[in-house]
Amino acid sequence: MSNHIETNSLFLNQVCMLAKFGSRPLLQSIGLSDDNTLDRLAALSANDIEDLAIGLGDAFLVVNMDSLLSKLDGNIEMSDECKAFLARGASNKAMKDILGVYDESLCAAWRNDVGVSRIFRRRTLPDKQYKAVWLDLEKLPKPVQAVDLIQLADKHNVSIGAMWRELISGEQHDSKK
């Protein structure tokens, strides 16, 4: 197999997985907007993907390298959801687990741009609010969504980082039972 065929196979596999498991808006943003095409991609088997990659031969599926290089250079725009999350004291762990932002230096840079209010800087839940916050955290649907944590942070005036830390430690405690 040539390098192009292997690369195309990997790329096609990812595209098919995104189509199959509900990331169609992302695929639409890169130009795959036809529902019929997305349905066909979602239905491809591993063998179909390999056959398609082989059928492409030495043709190379193009990735938007300008966009990739821009992002690697740190020119990533912060979404409104990230702004709201960071403004309420989201920790790097919460950013990674909830929003999929793995670059801690990017989180730090964004945090400086957003500014975090003093009430959202605590990394632990205040004793007087602990029970009320936990009762609300336990009611959240799984998997926990960013918007839910933002609402609870506003309701209780506690940081998302503190709530996420408690959720993680609570899940670890529950799994040991």
Side-chain angles (χ1 to χ4, degrees), residues 1-22:
M1 244 194 239
S2 79
N3 284 340
H4 286 171
I5 293 172
E6 290 175 15
T7 303
N8 286 343
S9 181
L10 291 171
F11 181 72
L12 285 168
N13 187 48
Q14 292 300 313
V15 167
C16 292
M17 294 298 285
L18 290 170
K20 188 172 190 170
F21 294 108

Side-chain angles (χ1 to χ4, degrees), residues 48-68:
D48 295 335
I49 293 169
E50 187 175 340
D51 290 343
L52 184 56
I54 290 169
L56 289 168
D58 280 337
F60 185 59
L61 294 174
V62 178
V63 177
N64 185 343
M65 295 307 288
D66 290 337
S67 178
L68 175 63

Side-chain angles (χ1 to χ4, degrees), residues 54-132:
I54 290 169
L56 289 168
D58 280 337
F60 185 59
L61 294 174
V62 178
V63 177
N64 185 343
M65 295 307 288
D66 290 337
S67 178
L68 175 63
L69 294 173
S70 170
K71 291 185 187 313
L72 287 174
D73 289 338
N75 298 328
I76 302 173
E77 287 188 39
M78 183 177 11
S79 70
D80 290 340
E81 188 176 46
C82 280
K83 287 177 189 173
F85 215 57
L86 286 169
R88 287 158 183 86
S91 62
N92 291 343
K93 178 90 171 116
M95 291 293 291
K96 180 180 77 170
D97 293 347
I98 301 290
L99 298 179
V101 179
Y102 290 87
D103 186 344
E104 292 181 4
S105 64
L106 183 60
C107 290
W110 283 351
R111 200 172 279 114
N112 287 336
D113 289 343
V114 169
V116 180
S117 169
R118 189 169 187 206
I119 62 170
F120 296 121
R121 290 187 182 169
R122 276 187 92 159
R123 291 292 171 222
T124 58
L125 295 176
D127 291 337
K128 292 179 182 178
Q129 294 172 284
Y130 190 87
K131 185 175 181 178

Side-chain angles (χ1 to χ4, degrees), residues 130-141 152 155-156:
Y130 190 87
K131 185 175 181 178
V133 173
W134 250 112
L135 289 173
D136 282 344
L137 287 172
E138 289 176 334
K139 294 176 189 173
L140 294 179
L152 286 184
K155 177 180 177 182
H156 294 287

